[in-house]
């Protein structure tokens, strides 16, 4: 059975800020989504995406940015699946990073166009200006100058976000793309989880590459393989940073994978019981671990 899941929870640090600032909300800046796309019955495509809005005051609409990112990420992979299936029947070598990269060429530009439209429909409000006056006066001045000059590109950071997306087409292959921090890992039959998409050397401490970067299209990392996995997991850095190292992260991925197989009953029942346990556990993990918002999504075969 091919199925997917996705979960996002508010970080413990955001809950603490709400307690310290009565009346102010610090909602989860993460978003996640999953789907099984059945354009053809012979080749369904399982897709998942997670995105981490940057969250600091200068990125005060990053929740909207991350929401658009996961919608766009999953849509782009669904359209990719149609191209892969069409070409696969005559060219088995279509499962490669070069083909994935070619098909994703307009991804970041599509995100930016959508963000510019959102800015035009929803100009920066007086409330947001007052907020930045207190939190980041330098960012405010930069944005006010950009508004005066009608320079929407300089306003994109308001929506800044990362993106991790993955797709499995059974019998054909596994595809993944990532911009910014977070993690995409894969488990093949009789093998442990391993990281699929290499880390970005430009991501360190609290710095990350982002969809809002001017050169974001060239910052996406890709992975493709004809080897069919048993499971694929994507997470934002709030999940990843809750563990001391990669070895521990892979071990937890395996525990999550085993959790979904541990319940009795039909596949839907087992999935729902496992998701209920995960929903209860993830906020506790944030409190014990990173304190950040957490998103976790997966594909299982």
């Amino acid at each position: 059975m091919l199925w997917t899941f996705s979960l996002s929870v508010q970080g413990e640090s955001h809950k603490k800020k709400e307690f310290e600032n009565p009346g102010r909300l610090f909602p989860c800046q993460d978003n996640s989504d999953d789907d099984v796309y059945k354009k053809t019955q012979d080749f369904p495509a399982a897709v998942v995406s997670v995105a981490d809005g940057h969250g600091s005051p200068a990125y005060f609409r990053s929740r909207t940015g991350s929401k658009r990112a996961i919608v766009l990420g999953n849509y782009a992979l669904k359209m990719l699946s149609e191209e892969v299936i069409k070409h696969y029947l005559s060219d088995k070598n279509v499962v490669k990073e070069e083909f994935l990269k070619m098909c994703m060429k307009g991804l970041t530009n599509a995100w930016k166009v959508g963000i510019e439209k959102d800015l035009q429909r929803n100009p920066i409000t007086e409330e947001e200006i007052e907020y930045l006056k207190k939190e980041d006066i330098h960012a405010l001045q930069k944005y006010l100058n950009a508004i005066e000059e009608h320079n929407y590109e300089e306003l994109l950071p308001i929506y800044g976000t990362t993106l991790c997306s993955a797709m499995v087409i059974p019998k054909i292959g596994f595809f993944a793309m990532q911009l910014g921090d977070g993690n995409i890992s894969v488990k093949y039959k009789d093998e442990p989880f391993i990281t699929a998409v290499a880390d970005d050397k430009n991501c360190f401490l609290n710095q990350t590459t982002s969809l809002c970067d001017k050169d974001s299209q060239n910052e996406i990392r890709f992975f493709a393989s004809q080897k069919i996995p048993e499971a694929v997991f994507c997470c934002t850095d709030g999940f990843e940073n809750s563990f001391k190292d990669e070895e521990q992260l892979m071990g937890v991925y395996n525990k999550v994978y085993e959790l979904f197989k541990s319940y009795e009953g039909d596949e839907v029942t087992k999935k729902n019981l496992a998701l209920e346990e995960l929903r209860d556990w993830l906020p506790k993990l944030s409190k014990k671990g990173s304190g950040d918002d957490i998103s976790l999504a997966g594909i299982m075969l």
Side-chain angles (χ1 to χ4, degrees):
M1 182 176 180
L2 177 68
W3 53 272
T4 58
F5 76 91
S6 58
L7 295 169
S8 295
V9 300
Q10 183 188 33
E12 181 65 22
S13 62
H14 290 191
K15 295 177 183 178
K16 184 177 179 181
K17 287 180 181 178
E18 288 183 347
F19 178 78
E20 294 171 346
N21 298 270
R24 283 276 303 281
L25 297 178
F26 294 85
C28 178
Q29 301 301 309
D30 278 14
N31 272 289
S32 58
D33 195 18
D34 65 281
D35 195 16
V36 177
Y37 180 60
K38 296 183 178 180
K39 180 69 174 180
T40 68
Q41 290 300 316
D42 291 335
F43 296 103
V47 296
V48 292
S49 290
V50 299
D52 179 8
H54 301 332
S56 62
Y59 309 98
F60 55 85
R61 290 186 182 177
S62 63
R63 177 171 174 78
T64 300
S66 69
K67 178 63 176 179
R68 175 160 180 78
I70 57 114
V71 171
L72 189 59
N74 276 4
Y75 175 78
L77 287 178
K78 290 175 184 179
M79 295 304 99
L80 170 68
S81 74
E82 294 187 18
E83 291 298 311
V84 168
I85 293 166
K86 181 171 66 176
H87 288 81
Y88 180 77
L89 298 177
S90 59
D91 179 12
K92 299 297 188 290
N93 291 323
V94 73
V95 185
K96 52 189 177 182
E97 290 184 26
E98 290 79 5
F99 188 79
L100 174 58
K101 187 175 183 179
M102 178 187 70
C103 290
M104 297 297 108
K105 193 172 182 180
L107 176 70
T108 62
N109 186 62
W111 180 85
K112 291 175 180 179
V113 169
I115 293 305
E116 288 185 8
K117 290 180 180 178
D118 188 81
L119 274 167
Q120 292 169 3
R121 291 192 299 264
N122 305 290
I124 296 175
T125 66
E126 287 298 324
E127 183 180 1
E128 289 170 334
I129 290 174
E130 289 301 315
Y131 170 70
L132 273 189
K133 279 182 181 179
K134 299 175 183 177
E135 301 292 339
D136 194 334
I137 191 66
H138 297 293
L140 173 60
Q141 191 57 58
K142 174 185 174 182
Y143 295 152
L144 290 177
N145 290 341
I147 292 171
E148 186 176 347
E149 297 168 4
H150 301 286
N151 186 348
Y152 285 102
E153 187 174 26
E154 292 298 321
L155 296 173
L156 293 177
I158 294 172
Y159 297 80
T161 181
T162 64
L163 175 64
C164 298
S165 298
M167 174 174 69
V168 176
I169 309 175
K171 302 179 184 179
I172 294 183
F174 163 48
F175 301 83
M177 60 182 181
Q178 181 172 350
L179 200 165
D181 53 25
N183 179 267
I184 303 177
S185 289
V186 59
K187 173 180 168 51
Y188 299 110
K189 185 175 176 59
D190 298 324
E191 296 180 19
F193 276 93
I194 57 171
T195 295
V197 180
D199 289 340
D200 185 344
K201 295 180 180 179
N202 293 315
C203 298
F204 60 96
L205 298 177
N206 289 324
Q207 301 297 316
T208 180
T209 47
S210 171
L211 276 166
C212 69
D213 293 346
K214 292 182 179 179
D215 195 34
S216 56
Q217 184 60 49
N218 294 321
E219 293 172 336
I220 305 176
R221 292 109 64 208
F222 300 95
F223 179 85
S225 173
Q226 291 183 351
K227 194 173 182 180
I228 307 301
E230 287 186 334
V232 176
F233 287 155
C234 300
C235 73
T236 53
D237 69 333
F239 186 86
E240 181 181 20
N241 292 341
S242 292
F243 307 104
K244 66 179 182 179
D245 54 29
E246 185 172 319
E247 181 180 359
Q248 189 178 68
L249 174 64
M250 299 302 137
V252 172
Y253 277 151
N254 193 65
K255 289 181 180 178
V256 173
Y257 175 64
E258 292 296 334
L259 173 67
F260 279 94
K261 300 192 299 180
S262 65
Y263 287 98
E264 296 182 355
D266 59 58
E267 294 294 334
V268 173
T269 298
K270 290 195 292 185
K271 175 183 176 181
N272 289 337
L273 289 171
L275 285 175
E276 184 178 343
E277 188 168 337
L278 275 180
R279 287 191 188 97
D280 180 65
W281 174 64
L282 289 179
K284 297 174 182 177
L285 175 64
S286 177
K287 185 175 183 178
K288 182 180 177 181
S290 67
D292 198 2
D293 296 333
I294 285 178
S295 286
L296 178 65
I299 301 169
M300 295 190 206
L301 285 78

